[in-house]
Amino acid sequence: MAINVITTALPEVKIIEPKVFNDARGSFFESFNAREFAVQVAAGFEFVQDNHSRSTKNVLRGLHYQIQHPQGKLVRVVAGAVFDVAVDLRRHSPRFGQWVGVHLSADNRRQLWVPPGFAHGFLTLSAEAKFLYKTTDYWYPEHERTLLWQDPALGIAWPLDREPVLGAKDAVGVCLAAAEVFA
């Protein structure tokens, strides 16, 4: 196996660590292997879209999700570092409203699997961060929803050293109590 899978406090959200092969010439690792993903992480998912993203220090994006056409996301940082967050929005879940945060960086090569039914967001920790992420459904802006990043009901411990830089939709997200969530 070319990956090590770590279960988080939200068991469906997984950290994937690749096994890196080093020698005098450099290093190699598999960034994605569909067979190992299905066996070790989550079966039954097909990735249909690859996205590239770049953010500067202290940019906070999210917490985004799509009620219709819910997306699973496999997130990888290829330059810099972020604090990546997933929030369980499945009302029937015993962990509804709980979150997990993971440091992802180009140095640790970790990936985070955020399945459908969860909101996703991140805070950029380095001067710049570049991401690659795969999704299990396409982006539909008309179906996108945003939770308020600082909702006290969530209590996310963002590692902020000053006010974050927010996009318009992130500044006006809704609190969990008023959010449209998954059944």
Side-chain angles (χ1 to χ4, degrees), residues 31-111:
S31 61
F32 180 73
N33 179 310
R35 182 177 38 226
E36 286 198 24
F37 184 88
V39 170
Q40 293 194 63
V41 181
F45 290 100
E46 177 185 353
F47 292 97
V48 298
Q49 184 173 309
D50 286 346
N51 298 311
H52 297 247
S53 177
R54 182 185 72 81
S55 293
T56 56
K57 179 152 178 78
N58 224 43
V59 166
L60 192 148
R61 292 190 195 241
L63 302 153
H64 303 158
Y65 61 102
Q66 292 182 174
I67 271 300
Q68 290 83 24
H69 299 279
Q71 293 178 305
K73 295 179 181 177
L74 182 60
V75 183
R76 181 166 70 101
V77 173
V78 296
V82 302
F83 181 68
D84 212 60
V85 173
V87 179
D88 190 342
L89 293 182
R90 302 166 302 156
R91 188 164 305 283
H92 70 278
S93 169
R95 291 170 294 282
F96 175 74
Q98 294 179 17
W99 64 276
V100 64
V102 177
H103 286 266
L104 301 178
S105 71
D107 291 339
N108 71 22
R109 299 180 181 97
R110 286 178 155 187
Q111 295 180 65

Side-chain angles (χ1 to χ4, degrees), residues 94-146:
R95 291 170 294 282
F96 175 74
Q98 294 179 17
W99 64 276
V100 64
V102 177
H103 286 266
L104 301 178
S105 71
D107 291 339
N108 71 22
R109 299 180 181 97
R110 286 178 155 187
Q111 295 180 65
L112 188 67
W113 164 241
V114 180
F118 291 75
H120 172 255
F122 65 86
L123 173 69
T124 306
L125 302 173
S126 54
E128 177 180 86
K130 294 181 182 178
F131 301 78
L132 298 175
Y133 60 96
K134 298 177 155 320
T135 64
T136 60
D137 205 340
Y138 302 100
W139 179 56
Y140 293 90
E142 67 272 22
H143 297 307
E144 187 174 54
R145 305 291 183 266
T146 304

